[in-house]
Amino acid sequence: GDAIAAGASEPALRETLASVFLRIGERDRAGRLLAALVAEAPTADRLVELSDVDRLAGRFEEALAHAERAIELCPDLAEAHRAVGKALVALGRAEEALVAYGRALAVAPSDPELLMDEAEALLIAGDYRRGFARAEVRWQAAELLPRRFSAPRWTGEDIAGRTLLVHGERNPGLDIAFARFLPQLAARGPRLVVEVRPALTDLFRRLDLGSDATVVEQGRRLPPYDLEVPLRSLPNVFGTDRNDLPPPARFRPDPLRVEAWRRQFADGDGRVAVGVYWRNAQDAELLASLADVGEARLFALDRRAGRASLAALPKGLAVEPLGSRLGGFVEMAAAMLALDVVIAPVSATVHLAASLGRPTIVVAPSPTDWLWVGDGGTPWYPGARLSCRDGDLAGLLRGLVLERPAP
């Protein structure tokens, strides 16, 4: 650990230790080693690594300064220009980041990770057509394992009467977000086979895509199909702009289950029912101010929220577990429709709540997450409110409570 690092005199050994610390998530230790190495003998590679450490720790200005210094030392180092771009994106300067990525690509034009960074900057900047087109490189990047299919890729040609396989990817939240493009696709008249992760199959069966649509579980044997397309490639095929996004998918849980949840959440003293979701202790800490909102009754939107999970909550924050009653996403959707507000970090939970049109507060979205970047909101879910890490979460909730229509 730190003792070994302190006793390591050889720079190469300390560089290796810093790389190991980065790989295992020990960014503070890696940062201390790299800062010492840079102080002794600054090199472009060390400065790029130190820039990455600072950026991941939220020190964006420092990250930019280290990356710019790396470029001074080695103007042709693609990773240095890439580090400048990533720091600029984190600072909310996507247009400038694109210039930096352009310089990096002039040195390394076929680097798929760099091309994905450029795609995300284009999307943040609002250039959806170029951004989604560039994002097709994700199949060559580390983000995804390429899949082989027995039919060619669909690129927008007439599809009426043919069978099209639409397959989800690894992020269930994005699959929920991109499900909005399926009705537009169904209107072109194909027979649809929609393949998604097991956790999403029942939910996607609650979409009204017509009688010629089948939802299958990823990993199961597929029925015959003529063409295939990734779900996340549909906006590229359709040439979607930021200003002409279709509305979120309309998932339809059982109305009887919604009513059952509504009865369960009913409170005689008129308090609002608020669903909250957290993944870890850091998420839980961001919910602390909700303890001051006495007009709200909080419920845990996680069937795994047992004693350990509830123990991570800040002192004084009372949250009622729902446990196994939540079941899968279909039952969670029914519960959400009975809630007054949903509060969660970026996750499948928050995508589902916002897709259902529930008043939703998104907690601490990353400034580099293209889907959630915007002046106080996102075009993907215009009704969702964004609460930054240091934002007034309790104030946002009170605002939504005041806006709630009278019963």
Side-chain angles (χ1 to χ4, degrees):
D2 288 333
I4 296 173
S9 58
E10 289 294 326
L13 176 55
R14 285 184 286 159
E15 285 181 341
T16 301
L17 283 169
S19 297
V20 170
F21 286 147
L22 282 174
R23 281 199 299 272
I24 64 175
E26 295 280 354
R27 290 197 294 268
D28 289 342
R29 287 180 173 182
R32 287 194 292 270
L33 276 173
L34 289 167
L37 286 163
V38 165
E40 294 169 16
T43 67
D45 287 336
R46 290 172 181 174
L47 284 161
V48 167
E49 285 196 317
L50 188 55
S51 174
D52 284 342
V53 169
D54 280 335
R55 177 178 51 80
L56 292 170
R59 299 185 290 269
F60 304 140
E61 294 286 359
E62 292 91 331
L64 179 59
H66 292 316
E68 288 176 334
R69 191 177 174 200
I71 291 173
E72 291 173 6
L73 294 175
C74 189
D76 293 331
L77 182 63
E79 283 300 314
H81 291 286
R82 182 187 184 196
V84 167
K86 291 172 87 71
L88 287 168
V89 166
L91 286 165
R93 296 156 61 182
E95 296 284 357
E96 295 172 67
L98 287 169
V99 175
Y101 289 144
R103 290 173 181 147
L105 286 165
V107 180
S110 58
D111 182 338
E113 306 296 336
L114 180 53
L115 289 166
M116 272 306 299
D117 288 338
E118 184 189 42
E120 289 172 0
L122 286 165
L123 292 168
I124 289 171
D127 190 345
Y128 273 23
R129 292 201 176 195
R130 288 176 62 208
F132 282 127
R134 177 66 85 201
E136 290 302 300
V137 78
R138 67 189 181 279
W139 296 100
Q140 301 166 36
E143 178 184 353
L144 293 169
L145 291 173
R147 294 180 63 188
R148 296 185 182 278
F149 295 94
S150 60
R153 174 67 57 86
W154 180 64
T155 57
E157 64 271 25
D158 182 21
I159 194 70
R162 307 185 74 187
T163 301
L164 176 63
L165 169 66
V166 185
H167 45 97
E169 297 179 23
R170 71 175 187 179
N171 186 318
L174 288 181
D175 281 354
I176 290 170
F178 279 70
R180 71 185 63 215
F181 295 100
L182 290 173
Q184 185 178 349
L185 178 58
R188 296 195 176 201
R191 292 183 293 274
L192 287 179
V193 176
V194 181
E195 181 205 49
V196 289
R197 283 171 166 262
L200 294 177
T201 51
D202 287 343
L203 180 67
F204 272 63
R205 286 171 183 149
R206 295 286 177 160
L207 285 171
D208 184 8
L209 299 175
S211 58
D212 275 342
T214 303
V215 177
V216 297
E217 183 179 309
Q218 202 169 74
R220 297 294 183 101
R221 185 180 180 86
L222 291 167
Y225 55 94
D226 302 309
L227 296 160
E228 59 85 17
V229 67
L231 179 59
R232 283 176 58 189
S233 293
L234 290 179
N236 179 47
V237 175
F238 294 145
T240 303
D241 280 323
R242 192 174 191 272
N243 296 323
D244 63 6
L245 281 169
R250 297 184 64 188
F251 299 104
R252 302 172 185 272
D254 184 344
L256 294 177
R257 294 303 307 146
V258 176
E259 186 55 37
W261 281 108
R262 195 167 281 130
R263 288 194 300 271
Q264 177 163 341
F265 294 143
D267 191 313
D269 60 10
R271 286 187 296 168
V272 295
V274 179
V276 293
Y277 174 74
W278 65 98
R279 299 161 299 194
N280 49 43
Q282 289 75 27
D283 286 348
E285 192 59 39
L286 295 174
L287 303 175
S289 65
L290 298 181
D292 300 327
V293 187
E295 58 269 41
R297 185 180 173 200
L298 306 181
F299 298 91
L301 283 176
D302 187 349
R303 62 180 176 177
R304 299 166 300 177
R307 288 182 182 177
S309 182
L310 293 170
L313 292 168
K315 221 172 192 181
L317 184 63
V319 178
E320 300 177 40
L322 296 174
S324 59
R325 287 170 290 172
L326 275 177
F329 279 117
V330 172
E331 192 65 17
M332 184 179 286
M336 285 176 171
L337 285 172
L339 289 165
D340 296 298
V341 181
V342 173
I343 300 174
V346 173
S347 56
T349 300
V350 89
H351 279 287
L352 180 57
S355 289
L356 292 166
R358 304 314 299 147
T360 303
I361 300 176
V362 188
V363 180
S366 167
T368 62
D369 188 333
W370 62 268
L371 192 146
W372 298 102
V373 170
D375 295 328
T378 167
W380 288 72
Y381 306 109
R385 310 291 177 88
L386 309 186
S387 175
C388 64
R389 187 165 294 275
D390 300 319
D392 183 9
L393 180 58
L396 273 178
L397 176 56
R398 287 192 180 98
L400 288 174
V401 171
L402 289 174
E403 293 172 13
R404 187 173 62 131

